[in-house]
Amino acid sequence: MKHKAGYVNIIGNPNVGKSTLMNAFVGERLSIITSKAQTTRHRILGIVNGEDFQILFSDTPGILKPAYELQASMMSFVKSAFEDADVLIYIVEIGENELKDEAFFNKITNATIPVLLLINKIDKSSQEEVEEKVLYWKEKVPNAEVFVISALEKFNVDGVFSRIIELLPESPAFYPKDQLTDKPERFFVNEAIREKILMHYKKEIPYSVEVDTEEFIESEKIIKIRSVIMVERETQKGIIIGHKGAPLKRVGTEARKDLEKFFDKKIHLELYVKVNKDWRSDKRQLKRFGYTND
């Protein structure tokens, strides 16, 4: 039996449903999903294995024009997604007409690898608008195969998945067949906490936050975790902790419940808040937090 394997990289504007699609393919919540833009900061690999295939799905940050060093690092992950893809997924939502970066768009239209253009969130549209958008995108990206999907409702996700398998090159598996992702456990702890901050805090707070898990001690029955929430200013620290510590406690409680499902084990989670001035503009710190392709 011939074995297929390859990288399938998902790109698109912020908040079009890349992470929802990735999780629909993989069947696990590897990428955090909220209604806020710029939720995904890293390039996250989700591995799907079959008897005769291995698909390495890669969720990337939403494409934007960088305003500070962190965003520039995020865009470097998108650039790398073009370099190693065997199949490129360009996802758009039903109401949009363009990519926010012309250089990236030119890379898509000139790609020499298979491109699947997915029009997402069609459950929020009419049949007439869907047909119009299919014609529009076929003209705009003539080198792409166009699919209409609803990643949230999992409509036509199986159809796209089947086409991906057809397009994969023949290759042995890149990773062990029981492996789900290339990220370590601490990464998912950080993401679970950051997701709750994105959900419960407003304005610039979620974008000024980084989470660093300093301790992850696993025993047979429990995982003991100590994580630090870093902010850029003292005022942000006060907002994160909140009145009598209640907002921070809510973040911890909700993250712990999600992590218990993810790891299938009891979790003891301690959260601390620390000021780390201007970390988003500090290349040395960004490297420490994994925002480089080194």
Side-chain angles (χ1 to χ4, degrees), residues 144-162:
E145 291 181 49
V146 178
F147 291 80
V148 294
I149 67 161
S150 170
L152 190 63
E153 303 293 334
K154 294 188 170 64
F155 172 76
N156 207 22
V157 170
D158 285 346
V160 176
F161 189 87
S162 298

Side-chain angles (χ1 to χ4, degrees), residues 103 124 169:
K124 296 181 178 179

Side-chain angles (χ1 to χ4, degrees), residues 121-163:
K121 305 184 184 180
I122 63 160
D123 49 304
K124 296 181 178 179
S125 184
S126 65
Q127 183 67 29
E128 186 182 8
E129 187 184 11
V130 170
E131 288 171 5
E132 281 175 13
K133 287 296 180 184
V134 168
L135 292 173
Y136 172 84
W137 285 110
K138 279 184 175 177
E139 190 177 325
K140 189 103 171 166
V141 191
N143 58 316
E145 291 181 49
V146 178
F147 291 80
V148 294
I149 67 161
S150 170
L152 190 63
E153 303 293 334
K154 294 188 170 64
F155 172 76
N156 207 22
V157 170
D158 285 346
V160 176
F161 189 87
S162 298
R163 183 59 182 139

Side-chain angles (χ1 to χ4, degrees), residues 57-110:
F57 286 107
S58 185
D59 182 19
T60 60
I63 292 170
L64 46 78
K65 286 198 162 61
Y68 42 84
E69 196 62 44
L70 170 61
Q71 290 184 340
S73 298
M74 287 159 58
M75 290 308 94
S76 74
F77 292 126
V78 181
K79 284 176 189 164
S80 72
F82 282 95
E83 290 160 10
D84 63 17
D86 295 294
V87 178
L88 195 65
I89 290 180
Y90 171 32
I91 183 168
V92 301
E93 62 180 352
I94 192 72
E96 71 174 278
N97 294 319
E98 60 185 11
L99 199 62
K100 289 183 178 175
D101 187 299
E102 199 174 332
F104 279 128
F105 189 74
N106 289 335
K107 281 190 171 188
I108 294 166
T109 55
N110 292 300

Side-chain angles (χ1 to χ4, degrees), residues 102-265:
E102 199 174 332
F104 279 128
F105 189 74
N106 289 335
K107 281 190 171 188
I108 294 166
T109 55
N110 292 300
T112 55
I113 57 168
V115 178
L116 304 183
L117 193 152
L118 311 186
I119 304 172
N120 190 27
K121 305 184 184 180
I122 63 160
D123 49 304
K124 296 181 178 179
S125 184
S126 65
Q127 183 67 29
E128 186 182 8
E129 187 184 11
V130 170
E131 288 171 5
E132 281 175 13
K133 287 296 180 184
V134 168
L135 292 173
Y136 172 84
W137 285 110
K138 279 184 175 177
E139 190 177 325
K140 189 103 171 166
V141 191
N143 58 316
E145 291 181 49
V146 178
F147 291 80
V148 294
I149 67 161
S150 170
L152 190 63
E153 303 293 334
K154 294 188 170 64
F155 172 76
N156 207 22
V157 170
D158 285 346
V160 176
F161 189 87
S162 298
R163 183 59 182 139
I164 289 167
I165 292 175
E166 289 171 2
L167 293 169
L168 285 179
E170 283 185 29
S171 168
F174 293 93
Y175 289 87
K177 284 290 189 118
D178 59 351
Q179 193 165 333
L180 186 66
T181 182
D182 63 334
K183 296 293 183 190
E185 287 99 338
R186 290 178 191 228
F187 175 83
F188 295 103
V189 174
N190 298 345
E191 290 290 272
I193 296 164
R194 199 166 66 81
E195 178 186 47
K196 302 310 172 191
I197 293 167
L198 278 157
M199 286 169 59
H200 294 306
Y201 296 87
K202 295 176 182 175
K203 296 182 180 175
E204 90 285 356
I205 293 294
Y207 305 107
S208 305
V209 162
E210 182 58 55
V211 181
D212 186 26
T213 294
E214 294 184 336
E215 195 172 272
F216 185 100
I217 302 169
E218 186 168 5
S219 60
E220 193 179 335
K221 292 184 179 177
I222 192 168
I223 304 172
K224 293 181 179 179
I225 300 168
R226 186 177 72 236
S227 299
V228 176
I229 297 168
M230 278 173 287
V231 293
E232 292 192 301
R233 296 192 300 276
E234 201 68 44
T235 51
Q236 294 167 344
K237 179 179 178 179
I239 292 168
I240 290 284
I241 295 170
H243 183 60
K244 294 185 177 177
L248 181 62
K249 187 177 179 182
R250 176 169 65 175
V251 166
T253 300
E254 292 183 9
R256 177 182 54 76
K257 287 177 181 175
D258 282 0
L259 290 167
E260 285 180 338
K261 285 180 193 168
F262 189 82
F263 291 110
D264 195 23
K265 198 172 268 193

